Amino acid sequence: MSSEYLIRSLLMLFLALFSANASNWLYLAKLSSVGSISDEETCEKLRGLIQRQVQICKRNVEVMDAVRRGAQLAIDECQFQFRNRRWNCSTLESVPLFGKVVTQGTREAAFVYALSAASVAFAVTRACSSGELDKCGCDRNVHGVSPEGFQWSGCSDNIAYGVAFSQSFVDIRERSKGQSSNRALMNLHNNEAGRKAILNNMRVECKCHGVSGSCEVKTCWKAMPPFRKVGNIIKEKFDGATEVELRKVGTTKVLVPRNSQFKPHTDEDLVYLDPSPDFCEHDPRSPGILGTAGRFCNKTSKAIDGCELMCCGRGFHTEEVEVVDRCSCKFHWCCYVKCKQCRKMVEMHTCR
Ligand SMILES: *[C@@H]1O[C@H](CO)[C@@H](O)[C@H](O)[C@H]1NC(C)=O
Ligand SMILES: *[C@@H]1O[C@H](CO)[C@@H](O)[C@H](O)[C@H]1NC(C)=O
């Protein structure tokens, strides 16, 4: 084997590991130094975008700050939802932002893809409603009088625009691969499931008009759920995710449950191909998997945040720490509450 061949193979492997990752655009969240993404030139300099995303960036420069806010939203929500799990969504300072965790077809990857596809749709829709963008505004298709008798009025969130943008920007790498690989199918499915978590949970918000709060005229508009709600829904889908495999039906390839006794997943469910690692130990070959040494755990919980499971049976350290809390709160007429500050010692447990 020539050394040239060896070098080339290593290079290919490197590219496969670090560039073939459709969630690299999340790195936009780290680009606070770029300032605002204000011109087409900036698009060329953004790390983590593939060429076709750079083109979308250039055609939609004004939308890119919303995309970046979406990336940040996804990271924050992931860390909140996974705060008590062994893998807690910690990010690296490089691409891919979540390291090895999202380069495999795991349940965690399914969660990250769904959440980030949703976060872009959410952030772009928000930007439309706030009047920040020339290209989109409120949803004008929502108008007239509803069957319930209220007047559609005010700014309905233009979720169709946000979803369409997310589909073109987030899904593009998978689509350019011709949708043939099982990972591409998995990612596309989960991206769509994430966006469904918003689409299928739109709500109607209303305001009453009339003399002293009477509801003679009611005006309503369609609004997205708060992003925390979207995160909760996708986390539930993570807990109930379906393990799937690729099956050929005629000439098309589809993902079907690996266990044929399970009922097939719906458009809103998450699917995954590979079992997750246990996330117990720090693995230098798997960037992003930090292990659970030093993590807080709950001595009385039997769940994944309990010391037994969190520390993977390695045991834990216990430390007494002082916490300051509000206590002996008294209600004073009228109308405020006054509290004392209490100090107390509590036991804190951290994994060995
Ligand atoms: C996640 O866990 C690591 C240790 O495994 C810790 O350093 C980090 O502060 C935790 N939290 C977040 C949000 O990353
Ligand atoms: C620890 O777990 C128990 C049982 O699940 C729960 O009641 C308690 O609030 C938890 N403590 C903390 C500090 O989270």
Side-chain angles (χ1 to χ4, degrees):
M1 191 162 45
S2 76
S3 63
E4 195 189 333
Y5 175 81
L6 188 68
I7 287 167
R8 197 179 300 155
S9 326
L10 281 173
L11 192 64
M12 295 300 282
L13 182 68
F14 180 84
L15 284 175
L17 279 177
F18 291 103
S19 72
N21 194 301
S23 68
N24 281 354
W25 63 270
L26 282 171
Y27 194 76
L28 284 178
K30 296 274 180 194
L31 296 175
S32 46
S33 56
V34 183
S36 127
I37 304 171
S38 52
D39 52 38
E40 295 187 11
E41 254 170 73
T42 321
C43 295
E44 303 266 9
K45 296 187 201 129
L46 298 175
R47 190 156 165 223
L49 300 193
I50 62 168
Q51 200 47 44
R52 291 177 63 184
Q53 285 171 324
V54 172
Q55 285 159 10
I56 297 178
C57 175
K58 286 180 170 175
R59 285 199 303 271
N60 300 274
V61 171
E62 61 159 16
V63 186
M64 291 311 289
D65 272 328
V67 175
R68 174 161 61 175
R69 287 197 294 276
Q72 190 61 53
L73 202 57
I75 294 165
D76 293 346
E77 188 60 25
C78 186
Q79 294 186 345
F80 173 80
Q81 295 292 344
F82 278 54
R83 66 198 179 285
N84 291 328
R85 297 188 62 88
R86 285 181 188 160
W87 180 65
N88 65 358
C89 231
S90 46
T91 59
L92 304 171
E93 291 301 320
S94 56
V95 287
L97 201 58
F98 293 114
K100 187 91 178 279
V101 179
V102 292
T103 61
Q104 295 165 335
T106 59
R107 228 140 62 96
E108 285 74 14
F111 179 83
V112 167
Y113 276 80
L115 190 70
S116 43
S119 73
V120 167
F122 187 92
V124 170
T125 303
R126 213 4 91 74
C128 295
S129 298
S130 72
E132 183 183 315
L133 307 178
D134 293 333
K135 284 197 169 141
C136 64
C138 308
D139 189 351
R140 292 213 188 82
N141 291 321
V142 184
H143 59 80
V145 177
S146 80
E148 294 86 359
F150 58 73
Q151 179 75 38
W152 287 113
S153 168
C155 183
S156 283
D157 279 331
N158 197 342
I159 184 63
Y161 188 90
V163 162
F165 188 88
S166 168
Q167 281 168 336
S168 69
F169 183 80
V170 178
D171 293 5
I172 195 153
R173 163 152 244 143
E174 259 70 37
R175 300 218 181 275
S176 45
K177 276 192 289 196
Q179 302 192 27
S180 53
S181 81
N182 49 2
R183 271 306 298 285
L185 279 177
M186 169 185 152
N187 295 345
L188 283 172
H189 175 94
N190 292 324
N191 289 352
E192 204 53 38
R195 290 183 288 256
K196 287 269 174 6
I198 307 177
L199 269 173
N200 294 349
N201 292 281
M202 294 294 285
R203 33 204 216 181
V204 176
E205 291 180 355
C206 298
K207 204 157 95 181
C208 280
H209 310 264
V211 196
S212 62
S214 74
C215 219
E216 272 163 62
V217 181
K218 196 158 114 174
T219 59
C220 304
W221 58 93
K222 286 201 174 146
M224 294 186 291
F227 200 68
R228 174 54 37 85
K229 172 95 191 287
V230 177
N232 291 343
I233 294 168
I234 299 176
K235 173 64 172 24
E236 266 170 43
K237 299 296 181 190
F238 167 87
D239 291 331
T242 309
E243 187 175 5
V244 292
E245 61 191 9
L246 199 66
R247 173 114 14 110
K248 259 195 170 155
V249 177
T251 52
T252 54
K253 294 170 176 171
V254 290
L255 296 172
V256 296
R258 182 160 285 186
N259 183 338
S260 58
Q261 304 193 321
F262 288 175
K263 71 171 168 33
H265 51 274
T266 69
D267 290 352
E268 295 162 56
D269 294 324
L270 297 193
V271 300
Y272 65 97
L273 295 157
D274 306 320
S276 301
D278 62 19
F279 298 113
C280 280
E281 308 291 339
H282 171 65
D283 179 358
R285 286 165 311 162
S286 303
I289 299 184
L290 302 175
T292 64
R295 289 284 303 277
F296 292 117
C297 61
N298 182 332
K299 198 177 166 184
T300 50
S301 168
K302 292 270 170 278
I304 190 71
D305 64 334
C307 292
E308 199 53 44
L309 287 176
M310 178 64 81
C311 309
C312 307
R314 296 185 306 262
F316 53 91
H317 301 286
T318 300
E319 212 181 348
E320 290 251 305
V321 292
E322 190 183 66
V323 294
V324 181
D325 219 353
R326 278 149 50 101
C327 61
S328 346
C329 294
K330 282 210 182 76
F331 179 74
H332 290 260
W333 188 265
C334 178
C335 294
Y336 65 97
V337 177
K338 211 173 172 184
C339 299
K340 283 188 185 153
Q341 284 203 335
C342 298
R343 293 164 191 282
K344 60 175 180 188
M345 300 303 286
V346 294
E347 285 192 332
M348 290 257 266
H349 312 288
T350 49
C351 293
R352 279 178 197 278

